[in-house]
Amino acid sequence: MVRAAVQTGPRALEIREFPRPRIGADDGLLRVEACGICGSDVEQYKGHLGDRFTFPLIPGHEPLGIVEEVGENAARRWGVRPGDRVALEIMVPCHSCERCLSGQYLSCGDRQASHGYTPVEREPGLWGGLAEYVYLHPNSILHKVRGDIPAELAVLFNPLGAGVRWACELGGTRLGDTVLILGCGQRGLTSLIAARAAGAGTVIVTGLERDRAKLDLARDFGADHTIVADAEDVVERVADLTGGAGADVVLELTPLAAEPVIDALRAVRHGGRVVLAGLKGDRTVPMDTDLLVNKAITLVGAYGVDARAYGEAIRIIESGRFPLEKMHTRTFELAETARAIETLAGDVPGESAVHVAVRPGG
């Protein structure tokens, strides 16, 4: 039997046991070393994302683990064997529709499953990373990760992959660019790392007064300037720092907040790019479309992380270039999953966190 944390509804998690899947020639089984927790896990746990999910399900979309079993055909297709450490992508696309064949598999309309979001009623049930084992569907996408990196750091492949995709692929950060990052959570910090790796000339990161420790951490990762958004006017400060030109690239990463979207549009330079990645739940954001037109702004919505971004993120982790150990705050056991999520959310008195992970095996 396999233990897993099962979410049955908003703020409702329990530990259940599932039969260990039988593996055939085309699929596999991943023994989870660690599963990262991020802001979207918090919003899913609290029920802020509406009716997008069917409960019960096993959360956890950032699993890192060891290939425990793999069928002959699957081993050949994935290029892995038992004992290999791999990072697992969220999406399980069909690999055969027009979007998949054109490289846009994140938009696959016939996806087979989503790790961390597929309900347990779908056999064999073990789809999420907050479990001792995750089922590897024949269409799952795996990335090898070097085995000598501590699991708590290697599991940063997902947030760092998001940073690479948002700052570099969607934001188009180039050598010498000024990048403004609204939000200093784990994905704000990983976007900062990605922007630095891409050669950004100046990086500015915002946060709130309560985020002082995270803003200090942003400095450790290479931020040139930090702005306390509830004590300073973000747009005016960016104008001062850029000689009135504005930022070349703006990444809006704040959860459930509308005002930073407006700040992003006002702070970007003429002809610049704004990437929206912070989920707002059911909140409506008033949009000044004249500002978009008159400033010739390119506005991009960020959805998911693709294979290229994951690969670049893993290379950054393996390079040892950045002090990623400063980002990881705490590791929890599987039975402490709810507390792990609440700790990241800042809902546990006396505790604060940038990044937490759950190690199902203890």
Side-chain angles (χ1 to χ4, degrees):
M1 301 296 288
V2 176
R3 294 188 311 138
V6 177
Q7 183 171 0
T8 58
R11 297 182 182 272
L13 276 172
E14 59 188 49
I15 302 300
R16 293 185 184 178
E17 290 190 341
F18 294 81
R20 178 165 166 156
R22 293 185 177 182
I23 302 306
D26 295 302
D27 52 5
L29 191 65
L30 183 74
R31 174 169 54 84
V32 180
E33 282 188 277
C35 185
I37 303 294
C38 79
S40 60
D41 290 301
V42 172
E43 303 310 325
Q44 177 181 337
Y45 172 72
K46 292 183 175 182
H48 289 167
L49 299 183
D51 56 358
R52 303 181 194 183
F53 312 109
T54 300
F55 297 115
L57 57 78
I58 300 171
H61 58 272
E62 303 181 8
L64 171 90
I66 305 299
V67 176
E68 183 83 0
E69 297 181 47
V70 62
E72 181 180 356
N73 296 338
R76 184 169 55 252
R77 183 175 62 255
W78 289 326
V80 301
R81 59 185 180 182
D84 284 346
R85 174 191 262 182
V86 298
L88 182 61
E89 289 199 22
I90 301 170
M91 303 293 182
V92 184
C94 73
H95 293 308
S96 58
C97 70
E98 181 179 354
R99 290 178 178 176
C100 284
L101 294 177
S102 63
Q104 298 177 318
Y105 69 91
L106 293 180
S107 301
C108 176
D110 192 28
R111 70 183 62 167
Q112 307 300 292
S114 297
H115 293 293
Y117 301 105
T118 297
V120 296
E121 65 184 25
R122 168 84 186 278
E123 294 290 341
L126 294 170
W127 298 103
L130 291 169
E132 293 173 321
Y133 291 90
V134 174
Y135 173 67
L136 298 177
H137 185 279
N139 289 17
S140 292
I141 303 174
L142 284 58
H143 299 269
K144 285 186 179 181
V145 181
R146 226 172 57 208
D148 61 335
I149 300 170
E152 289 82 359
L153 303 187
V155 80
L156 285 164
F157 75 91
N158 183 285
L160 187 50
V164 169
R165 180 159 168 78
W166 300 344
C168 303
E169 293 183 10
L170 300 180
T173 299
R174 298 174 298 181
L175 287 172
D177 275 352
T178 294
V179 179
L180 170 63
I181 301 171
L182 300 171
C184 58
Q186 59 180 256
R187 276 161 172 71
L189 295 173
T190 55
S191 295
L192 160 61
I193 291 170
R196 275 292 174 226
T202 302
V203 183
I204 307 166
V205 180
T206 76
L208 301 176
E209 180 65 41
R210 66 173 183 262
D211 298 324
R212 288 281 186 177
K214 295 177 183 177
L215 291 174
D216 290 342
L217 192 55
R219 293 279 190 170
D220 291 342
F221 286 117
D224 298 284
H225 307 282
T226 57
I227 300 174
V228 181
D230 47 355
E232 307 172 76
D233 187 300
V234 172
V235 178
E236 288 184 4
R237 182 78 189 285
V238 172
D240 290 341
L241 293 172
T242 61
D248 299 291
V249 179
V250 180
L251 310 180
E252 199 290 299
L253 313 181
T254 65
L256 305 176
E259 186 61 31
V261 176
I262 308 306
D263 288 345
L265 300 179
R266 294 173 60 206
V268 72
R269 68 165 173 82
H270 189 278
R273 297 176 70 86
V274 173
V275 178
L276 302 181
L279 293 173
K280 307 306 180 186
D282 295 326
R283 287 169 172 78
T284 299
V285 179
M287 187 72 67
D288 185 347
T289 57
D290 285 353
L291 188 61
L292 283 171
V293 173
N294 291 327
K295 291 183 71 173
I297 298 170
T298 299
L299 186 64
V300 183
Y303 175 76
V305 182
D306 63 9
R308 178 182 176 185
Y310 280 124
E312 291 296 331
I314 291 168
R315 281 188 280 274
I316 291 173
I317 293 171
E318 292 179 341
S319 75
R321 177 180 171 185
F322 297 93
L324 296 175
E325 65 279 357
K326 293 185 177 183
M327 189 179 302
H328 180 71
T329 307
R330 189 172 166 191
T331 302
F332 294 83
E333 296 180 356
L334 184 64
E336 301 174 304
T337 294
R339 187 174 182 85
I341 296 172
E342 291 165 356
T343 298
L344 184 66
D347 293 339
V348 179
E351 294 195 41
S352 63
V354 178
H355 178 263
V356 303
V358 172
R359 296 202 68 165

